[in-house]
Amino acid sequence: MAAPMEVALVSDAAGPLCNCSVWELHSGSALPGYRGGNSGPRGLALLGGEHLLGAQLGKSYINVWELQRKDQLQQKIICPGPVTCLTASPNGLYILAGVAESIYLWEVSNGNLLAILNRHYQDLTCLCFTDDSSHFLSGAKDCLALVWNLYSVLQAEPSQIPDPRHVWSRHSLPITDLCCGFGGPLARAATASLDQTAKLWEISSGELLLSVLFDVGIMSVTLDLSEYHMFCGGMDGSIFQVDLCAWPVQRDRTFQTERENGKIFKGHRNQVTCLSVSTDGSLLLSGSHDETVRLWDIQSKQCLKTMNHKGPVTNALIVLAPANMFNPDGKPSVPLPKFSKHLHGTESSDDQGNEGVTLRLGLHQQVHRDESLGRATWKRLRRCTLRCARQGKR
């Protein structure tokens, strides 16, 4: 059976018109890039395998490309302020963006702004979803990492800000990156910080499982698919491989560089901003402010390929190639609508026509809005459907 085709998506920040580059992982062949502006920190997300999103550094909009049409933007999503981080849910239904200290949540099918979460005290730096899209995590300069239950957020009244499921406050300096393993609400999550530590947490209980101290600040973190190892990118350009199955088990551990030299990837000359592991666990992709992206063989720690950029690399991730990515005639099944900048921004459009709106909650769950229903009835129906979705009903 042939291995699934993987591609690397890479973005940098070097000028008014920068590329988001795409290249086939195993062959190393470069593919046409996406133009449209600077992608900001943690500002690259693949939406539903059909669209590529890039948050612009210092700009208050999100660039949207169709994967089949690399030569032009499809649209720009206008945001309430400069976007500092961006992610999309794996099921393709929701988009999250960090704007200053607030988290904005949009529904993809209709562009409605569903929630604005204000529980951080300083600017957001990173966001990510669990693999089942049931939870999402946020990290910020206030040294806090928060775990949110998506359905609790969706069911909250607009006037109320829901409480996060967990508040992780064990870091002493700003959070720089976070990632989730597999398992939905039972997964483990890793956080990185300028306090020179990377920590591993259990999402279900909120318990701290492991804290590793390094001799440099940590800018990026990721886990391999089997979660045997955690990879941490340092401010000095080093990449550290932490064994999560080491014996004896210690919750607090110090990574001693001189004794663990065989677990360090050396080659970058500046801070490592992003890390990603291939699905088979054999390759590691890293991006750095030294304006290069490197592909490493994890077992030997050898650099297999170096790709130069014209500016500091802000994002680099490995994804399975979407089915229609290389089909020039392919089109997204549902074009993205215009996104709202305000809560309930579409209420004023209720009288503009009698067309229904389909709310998609999953592969087998959808509710059709009949305009003959009152607004209150529709909201109750929507809350009931979300509640059933959370309980696993159809």
Side-chain angles (χ1 to χ4, degrees), residues 60-233:
S60 56
Y61 50 82
I62 300 170
N63 289 327
V64 183
W65 297 272
E66 291 182 15
L67 286 179
Q68 296 82 8
R69 301 173 63 187
K70 303 176 175 63
D71 57 340
Q72 59 182 335
L73 287 174
Q74 179 190 355
Q75 64 162 286
K76 291 182 179 180
I77 298 173
I78 306 300
C79 300
V83 179
T84 59
C85 49
L86 174 71
T87 192
S89 61
N91 60 16
L93 300 181
Y94 304 99
I95 293 176
L96 283 174
V99 178
E101 69 276 2
S102 302
I103 303 171
Y104 285 74
L105 173 65
W106 283 278
E107 185 174 10
V108 172
S109 63
N110 53 30
N112 285 346
L113 179 59
L114 301 180
I116 303 174
L117 306 175
N118 296 290
R119 284 303 178 96
H120 283 285
Y121 305 101
Q122 295 186 44
D123 289 357
L124 270 290
T125 57
C126 44
L127 291 162
C128 75
F129 274 93
T130 55
D131 63 316
D132 67 346
S133 303
S134 66
H135 291 72
F136 61 90
L137 283 68
S138 60
K141 293 180 179 179
D142 59 7
C143 314
L144 298 178
L146 307 183
V147 180
W148 304 86
N149 184 304
L150 177 61
Y151 295 112
S152 296
V153 171
L154 294 177
Q155 293 183 62
E157 294 296 329
S159 60
Q160 299 177 346
I161 300 178
D163 293 324
R165 180 172 179 178
H166 301 300
V167 177
W168 294 334
S169 57
R170 300 291 292 272
H171 285 290
S172 58
L173 286 175
I175 306 291
T176 54
D177 196 14
L178 47 79
C179 71
C180 289
F182 287 87
L186 301 179
R188 298 185 294 180
T191 57
S193 171
L194 293 178
D195 64 6
Q196 301 185 2
T197 67
K199 301 182 187 295
L200 190 67
W201 311 80
E202 185 177 61
I203 292 179
S204 59
S205 66
E207 181 182 356
L208 176 63
L209 304 177
L210 174 66
S211 178
V212 183
L213 176 65
F214 301 87
D215 55 7
V216 296
I218 302 301
M219 300 301 299
S220 53
V221 65
T222 193
L223 301 167
D224 64 2
L225 194 63
S226 61
E227 298 185 25
Y228 286 161
H229 301 100
M230 178 170 64
F231 300 91
C232 307

Side-chain angles (χ1 to χ4, degrees), residues 292-351:
T292 67
V293 173
R294 292 176 179 263
L295 186 65
W296 308 83
D297 178 75
I298 291 179
Q299 185 173 5
S300 66
K301 307 297 184 293
Q302 296 297 311
C303 180
L304 303 178
K305 182 178 179 62
T306 300
M307 184 169 62
N308 296 313
H309 276 253
K310 297 181 180 180
V313 177
T314 58
N315 294 268
L317 64 153
I318 298 172
V319 297
L320 292 176
N324 293 329
M325 186 170 187
F326 306 107
N327 179 9
D329 300 323
K331 294 183 179 180
S333 57
V334 180
L336 287 186
K338 296 295 183 182
F339 277 38
S340 172
K341 292 174 61 176
H342 306 284
L343 288 170
H344 307 297
T346 59
E347 288 187 358
S348 60
S349 64
D350 286 348
D351 300 328

Side-chain angles (χ1 to χ4, degrees), residues 255-317:
F255 191 95
Q256 299 178 341
T257 304
E258 64 279 1
R259 293 177 53 185
E260 302 187 74
N261 193 48
K263 297 181 180 179
I264 302 177
F265 301 78
K266 295 182 178 180
H268 284 298
R269 302 180 305 277
N270 205 331
Q271 58 182 273
V272 178
T273 56
C274 39
L275 294 167
S276 184
V277 180
S278 62
T279 54
D280 62 3
S282 64
L283 301 174
L284 175 69
L285 186 73
S286 62
S288 170
H289 276 190
D290 66 5
E291 304 184 5
T292 67
V293 173
R294 292 176 179 263
L295 186 65
W296 308 83
D297 178 75
I298 291 179
Q299 185 173 5
S300 66
K301 307 297 184 293
Q302 296 297 311
C303 180
L304 303 178
K305 182 178 179 62
T306 300
M307 184 169 62
N308 296 313
H309 276 253
K310 297 181 180 180
V313 177
T314 58
N315 294 268
L317 64 153

